[in-house]
Amino acid sequence: MSIVPNSSASDQQLLSRVDRFFKEQRIGSLLKKSNFVKDCGWTCLALFKFLFLLVFSKKNLYQALQKKDALDLPGKDAVYRFLNSSRYNWRKFLLLLSSGLIRNKLDPLTGKDRVKVLIVDDSLYSRARSKAVELLAKVHDHTTGKFVRGFRLLTLGWSDGNTFVPLCFSLLSSHDPKNRLVEMFEGLDKRTTGYKRRRESMQKSSDVLIELLRQALDSGIQASYVLFDSWFSFPSTIMKVLEQKIHVICMLKGMPRVYYGYNGQKWNLNALYKAVRKKRGKAKILASIIVTLGCNEQGEEIPAKIVFVRDRNRRRNWLALLTTDVHLPDEEVIRIYGKRWDIEIFFKMTKSYLRLAKEFQGRSYDMMFAHTSIVFARYILLAVESRESQDPRTLGELFSLCCDEMEDIKFASALLLLIELFKSAVREVLVLTEEKFQELFDQFLSSLPNYIKGLLGVSVCES
């Protein structure tokens, strides 16, 4: 069974790589462990592979099933029953896939001294034309500053500074019933995974963030820091993350009602910047201070370091980073936070090329969750192919004796990324410019093998 034609060498190479990926990662076994079981008809593995390859055929589901040789393909009813099932544990499957890949494939290629991080961010999952989609809500679009119909795609990923791997996600509706346009469908078995997913989608994003982080760490993911932007950088959220035994590095926003302890007093971020002594001249790092976030359950104060960085091209010529690792050098705080850009490239890739939120227009929450999981699995394949195509050590043990480790992000590069991020801030909302998106995204695409570029519609330039 294949919806990708075998007429060209690139198509055959793609099918060979996909088959190898499914075999190495034991996709069939992972599906069974995640409660993917059918009594009759097409197997879950066959249906998953059919949907997995759909994007590479450059056809939608209807077009694929209308082909003359579509007799060996599953029917539309079988596909929709598979996507709409509330029994399948898609999050467990994605965690098993990503954790196994990191443990068996990526960690052996990465030095022990390299900093690995977890990255949290959300992105708009737009359903602007929908009216009857389950749990459809009015959500805030950071880019336009307006409320639109859809969901918030809260995503947790892992990165070593070179390869980004999505771990798990949640499609958030709205915690406020007034913003929910459609409620949860009635009659769903409360014992199923689908019901739990729906209940989670109506929780606060900060609570869901902690749950995603807990599940990822319980699955054996190793990381030193959690990175996120200013949308989650509240002291209460940071302290909840610390309870998971992992440090935080995040961007801060000058909110007037968020206070930090310094010299026995409470200060907001703007007042702190005015109070601290800055370095003279054209220093890139203006200052760094130790503050307190609050007290834990034992009554102990939680210390943190705030690093102020210069931007000479704006009237408000500074931005601030916070880390709970107070012994981390200022330069390292900036360099490590630069790895957060990997998730921006990930969102761009999934939306522009892997048809996130565009491939299916079903109304059930289960279908959207299943479709998003399949898109994330496609990206994992591309991440593996990108890593193997540029890391010579994957070609054999001989290269490990003469090749250095793949270059991690440098402090200067991270600083430039931070400055560009600050330049694109509009009304204190962190928004990436289209030019910066394209620059970083083109760099990612250029590292992919040529046969994948061709299938995704990316022009291949002769070197």
Side-chain angles (χ1 to χ4, degrees):
M1 179 195 69
S2 175
I3 59 173
V4 178
N6 296 312
S7 57
S8 66
S10 62
D11 295 331
Q12 295 178 5
Q13 188 179 11
L14 168 68
L15 293 175
S16 174
R17 292 300 182 108
V18 170
D19 289 338
R20 189 187 72 172
F21 175 76
F22 272 55
K23 182 178 180 180
E24 288 181 350
Q25 304 305 322
R26 301 181 297 112
I27 299 297
S29 176
L30 299 184
L31 289 172
K32 290 181 180 179
K33 291 180 181 179
S34 306
N35 200 35
F36 285 75
V37 179
K38 288 189 65 179
D39 295 331
C40 60
W42 289 86
T43 64
C44 291
L45 177 60
L47 292 170
F48 178 82
K49 188 174 182 180
F50 169 73
L51 295 170
F52 185 91
L53 288 168
L54 194 59
V55 70
F56 301 106
S57 69
K58 300 181 181 179
K59 296 181 177 67
N60 57 31
L61 179 62
Y62 174 79
Q63 293 170 335
L65 296 180
Q66 290 297 313
K67 293 195 310 178
K68 295 180 181 180
D69 57 347
L71 296 177
D72 61 338
L73 299 179
K76 182 177 67 174
D77 292 343
V79 172
Y80 276 86
R81 281 195 298 268
F82 176 76
L83 292 173
N84 286 317
S85 175
S86 61
R87 297 182 292 109
Y88 300 154
N89 195 338
W90 287 101
R91 178 174 297 170
K92 182 178 180 180
F93 165 75
L94 197 60
L95 268 175
L96 289 173
L97 173 61
S98 56
S99 61
L101 174 71
I102 293 170
R103 181 172 56 254
N104 302 322
K105 194 86 171 179
L106 299 181
D107 275 347
L109 302 175
T110 307
K112 294 182 180 179
D113 57 340
R114 173 173 287 196
V115 176
K116 292 109 176 162
V117 298
L118 297 177
I119 308 172
V120 180
D121 201 2
D122 63 343
S123 182
L124 176 64
Y125 188 101
S126 177
R127 294 298 299 264
R129 296 170 179 255
S130 302
K131 295 181 180 179
V133 174
E134 186 178 12
L135 292 174
L136 184 69
K138 293 185 293 183
V139 296
H140 186 259
D141 184 0
H142 301 332
T143 304
T144 63
K146 299 179 181 180
F147 280 87
V148 297
R149 294 171 180 245
F151 301 85
R152 290 174 61 194
L153 179 59
L154 181 64
T155 305
L156 173 67
W158 176 94
S159 175
D160 61 356
N162 184 272
T163 302
F164 177 83
V165 179
L167 300 177
C168 50
F169 69 93
S170 183
L171 273 177
L172 299 180
S173 177
S174 177
H175 177 67
D176 188 355
K178 297 180 180 179
N179 289 331
R180 289 199 297 269
L181 304 176
V182 182
E183 292 297 333
M184 181 174 61
F185 292 169
E186 298 180 357
L188 190 65
D189 190 340
K190 297 182 179 180
R191 298 170 296 179
T192 61
T193 305
Y195 178 80
K196 297 175 182 178
R197 285 195 292 256
R198 289 164 169 82
R199 297 301 305 176
E200 180 185 76
S201 71
M202 294 181 281
Q203 296 179 4
K204 293 182 178 179
S205 59
S206 57
D207 296 335
V208 179
L209 183 156
I210 300 301
E211 179 61 21
L212 295 180
L213 180 61
R214 184 191 64 78
Q215 292 182 17
L217 294 176
D218 289 346
S219 68
I221 300 294
Q222 299 293 326
S224 302
Y225 301 94
V226 178
L227 313 181
F228 45 80
D229 61 14
S230 59
W231 295 106
F232 303 98
S233 59
F234 295 92
S236 58
T237 303
I238 296 172
M239 289 191 290
K240 288 180 181 178
V241 173
L242 278 177
E243 294 176 0
Q244 305 299 319
K245 310 300 181 182
I246 187 169
H247 282 293
V248 172
I249 299 179
C250 63
M251 181 76 73
L252 295 180
K253 184 166 59 174
M255 294 176 283
R257 297 185 180 181
V258 175
Y259 298 96
Y260 307 91
Y262 181 65
N263 287 341
Q265 300 180 12
K266 296 293 184 180
W267 307 72
N268 61 33
L269 188 63
N270 292 324
L272 268 178
Y273 177 76
K274 295 178 181 178
V276 299
R277 183 178 180 180
K278 272 76 71 176
K279 296 180 181 178
R280 294 183 178 181
K282 298 182 179 181
K284 296 179 179 179
I285 300 178
L286 294 170
S288 64
I289 58 173
I290 304 298
V291 299
T292 57
L293 300 175
C295 297
N296 57 19
E297 295 179 354
Q298 291 75 30
E300 302 172 343
E301 289 190 337
I302 305 297
K305 177 193 282 189
I306 296 180
V307 180
F308 295 98
V309 182
R310 179 189 300 276
D311 177 33
R312 296 186 299 271
N313 298 320
R314 302 282 294 189
R315 292 181 179 178
R316 181 191 173 200
N317 58 350
W318 59 273
L319 57 88
L321 297 176
L322 180 144
T323 177
T324 55
D325 186 358
V326 296
H327 303 293
L328 192 66
D330 298 346
E331 292 80 3
E332 277 293 286
V333 175
I334 298 173
R335 187 188 70 84
I336 294 173
Y337 186 77
K339 299 183 181 187
R340 198 195 71 81
W341 286 70
D342 290 346
I343 200 170
E344 304 289 357
I345 301 174
F346 164 75
F347 285 138
K348 179 72 173 181
M349 181 71 179
T350 54
K351 291 182 178 181
S352 298
Y353 289 90
L354 300 182
R355 300 182 184 176
L356 179 65
K358 300 175 183 178
E359 196 166 20
F360 300 103
Q361 295 298 318
R363 295 182 179 181
S364 78
Y365 186 82
D366 290 315
M367 173 176 281
M368 292 183 293
F369 205 96
H371 162 60
T372 305
S373 301
I374 295 172
V375 170
F376 280 26
R378 292 169 181 164
Y379 185 87
I380 291 175
L381 168 66
L382 298 183
V384 172
E385 291 296 315
S386 175
R387 182 63 175 260
E388 290 184 341
S389 67
Q390 58 181 291
D391 193 341
R393 292 175 300 175
T394 59
L395 302 179
E397 186 177 358
L398 175 65
F399 288 93
S400 64
L401 301 177
C402 58
C403 294
D404 296 329
E405 184 182 357
M406 298 185 71
E407 186 178 14
D408 199 352
I409 186 170
K410 295 181 178 179
F411 166 72
S413 301
L415 186 61
L416 288 175
L417 292 177
L418 288 175
I419 292 174
E420 290 301 324
L421 178 61
F422 185 77
K423 289 179 181 178
S424 63
V426 178
R427 298 178 182 176
E428 297 187 354
V429 176
L430 298 180
V431 180
L432 298 176
T433 64
E434 186 62 30
E435 292 78 8
K436 192 60 185 178
F437 262 136
Q438 198 62 41
E439 178 185 345
L440 294 175
F441 188 56
D442 289 344
Q443 183 180 359
F444 174 80
L445 286 179
S446 64
S447 66
L448 292 176
N450 288 340
Y451 74 93
I452 290 184
K453 294 180 185 177
L455 290 167
L456 293 176
V458 181
S459 60
V460 181
C461 298
E462 295 293 335
S463 58

